[in-house]
Structures are given as C-alpha cells and as structure tokens.
Amino acid sequence: AQSVSQHNHHVILSEAASLELGCNYSYGGTVNLFWYVQYPGQHLQLLLKYFSGDPLVKGIKGFEAEFIKSKFSFNLRKPSVQWSDTAEYFCAVNRYGGSQGNLIFGKGTKLSVKP
Amino acid sequence: NAGVTQTPKFRILKIGQSMTLQCTQDMNHNYMYWYRQDPGMGLKLIYYSVGAGITDKGEVPNGYNVSRSTTEDFPLRLELAAPSQTSVYFCASSSGLEKLFFGSGTQLSVL
C-alpha cells in the first residue's frame, strides 16, 4: 500500500537556523507531491506542490522542496526559520492519475522555533 | 468569501449517540473530502465525493456515512458513536488536485 513517511515527529530550532524536514513515499510510479502546513489554531493550508518539471519547487513564505525521484523523497527546506514558522507540517502524496480522493498524508512534523 | 465552513467546532457525545457534522463550501468545487486527524497519526481520509450524488470510501470509512445532494454540502454522519471516533475532523474541497481548501475542523469527543 502507498505510504508516506515523515522522519521527525518534533523539531526544535532557534530563529535563523536552517530547516530540512524529510518526507519519503513508497509508490513507485508517477506521483504528485504536496506539503501542507497547519499553524496553531488554524486550518491546513497548501505550502507548495510538485506535479512535474523542475524538481526544485518554491512555495510561500520562503519554503522550498526538492523532489528526488531516485530516493522517493520530497524534503522541505527553509534557509532561515522564523518564530512564525512554528506549526505542524504534513507531506502528502497522490498517485498520478489516481482517484482524486487518494491523497495520502504523512503523520506530520511539529516544528517549534525558539525566539 | 467564506471558503469551507464546518459546524460545530466542538462536540461531546456519549457512546451510542448519533450526530451529523456539517460541511459547506461556496467555491463551487466538485470535489469534497472528510478527513480525521488523530494525534501523531496525520490525516486519514474517511469519505470523498467527486460531485453531487457521487461518494466513495476512503481509508477509514467504518462507522461513518456521507451524502452529497448538492455541490455545496457534504455532511458526515456518525450513527453509533464510539470512543475510537474521538478525533478532529476536517472537511476539504477542491476543484481538482491542485489544492485542497480545508475547513477549521470539528473536535469531537466520545465518552
């Protein structure tokens, strides 16, 4: 079965530190990849997505992610985090051409940024 | 523009009670979804719909029912509430797979 693994449950960083959150998926075919973010007290919102083309995608608020097909990975990065980046981050995968409802989420990574 | 609206925001149920979680979207999206989010477990898809009159099971449909009589509304029904259904429930909608728009969630406790 298709699955998504996020390696870190909770990451704690100081402001200005660099961030990399890991995401690996298990499906071997063509996939669509997403990162969603949930700020405290808010609903989930799309951070960035990859469908095809340049494997380095840029999202909102300075976030980027790199799709490495050979590693089945879609890691999220930010060069310098801010306190306002404190949130829970979810990686999600959809099998290309699959059912619209077949969006599989990882378990999430909580990011705490210390001021 | 309200987006995706869920009601209620909080609810406590006794075991065996039933209730309906309401979800309405005003973006004329064809696709609607119900997810549950358990601590440390991410989001699991319960049911989804690709248009009015069409629904399908997701990953964890047992104990739930849905209907989609209109494009705007996608209610989720719990018939016999069980403690295992204690969770946060999110409704979402989309026009395709480009982006899901989520509601603010319903926190449900079954005691």
Side-chain angles (χ1 to χ4, degrees):
Chain A
Q2 192 174 359
S3 66
V4 178
S5 298
Q6 291 185 240
H7 312 303
N8 308 101
H9 176 64
H10 192 184
V11 173
I12 302 172
L13 296 173
S14 298
E15 275 194 316
S18 63
L19 170 71
E20 181 160 2
L21 302 181
C23 172
N24 287 90
Y25 61 94
S26 63
Y27 184 67
T30 303
V31 293
N32 300 315
L33 299 155
F34 308 81
W35 277 97
Y36 279 84
V37 60
Q38 187 175 27
Y39 296 103
Q42 297 187 27
H43 54 270
L44 286 94
Q45 55 188 289
L46 183 67
L47 199 56
L48 48 79
K49 63 182 186 291
Y50 172 80
F51 280 14
S52 64
D54 189 344
L56 183 63
V57 292
K58 295 189 184 299
I60 60 172
K61 302 185 180 184
F63 285 90
E64 64 180 31
E66 185 176 12
F67 170 51
I68 303 179
K69 189 174 181 179
S70 61
K71 295 185 178 181
F72 300 93
S73 70
F74 190 56
N75 292 355
L76 181 70
R77 299 196 293 248
K78 186 171 184 179
S80 176
V81 295
Q82 300 172 319
W83 177 80
S84 58
D85 293 325
T86 294
E88 190 158 17
Y89 293 81
F90 294 90
C91 181
V93 173
N94 179 277
R95 178 169 54 90
Y96 180 78
S99 165
Q100 292 291 345
N102 197 19
L103 193 63
I104 308 298
F105 282 84
K107 293 183 178 181
T109 298
K110 284 187 180 178
L111 172 65
S112 299
V113 180
K114 298 184 291 184
Chain B
N1 200 343
V4 179
T5 303
Q6 288 183 238
T7 57
K9 292 191 182 301
F10 304 95
R11 184 72 186 269
I12 298 174
L13 285 181
K14 294 182 179 179
I15 294 171
Q17 286 186 317
S18 62
M19 77 163 294
T20 299
L21 281 66
Q22 301 292 345
C23 177
T24 300
Q25 53 93 6
D26 62 0
M27 296 172 282
N28 201 34
H29 286 166
N30 284 327
Y31 303 96
M32 295 188 74
Y33 316 84
W34 274 106
Y35 287 91
R36 59 178 286 172
Q37 183 183 23
D38 300 315
M41 297 299 293
L43 284 83
K44 302 285 187 182
L45 182 65
I46 305 171
Y47 270 96
Y48 68 100
S49 169
V50 300
I54 306 170
T55 63
D56 207 348
K57 295 177 180 179
E59 189 178 358
V60 289
N62 292 343
Y64 306 95
N65 279 301
V66 294
S67 60
R68 185 92 182 271
S69 57
T70 66
T71 298
E72 295 78 19
D73 301 309
F74 190 42
L76 177 72
R77 177 101 180 141
L78 284 71
E79 290 294 349
L80 291 170
S84 61
Q85 293 177 305
T86 293
S87 188
V88 181
Y89 292 83
F90 288 99
C91 179
S93 73
S94 72
S95 58
L97 197 52
E98 287 288 321
K99 179 178 178 179
L100 293 183
F101 291 82
F102 284 86
S104 56
T106 296
Q107 192 165 331
L108 176 67
S109 296
V110 182
L111 306 174

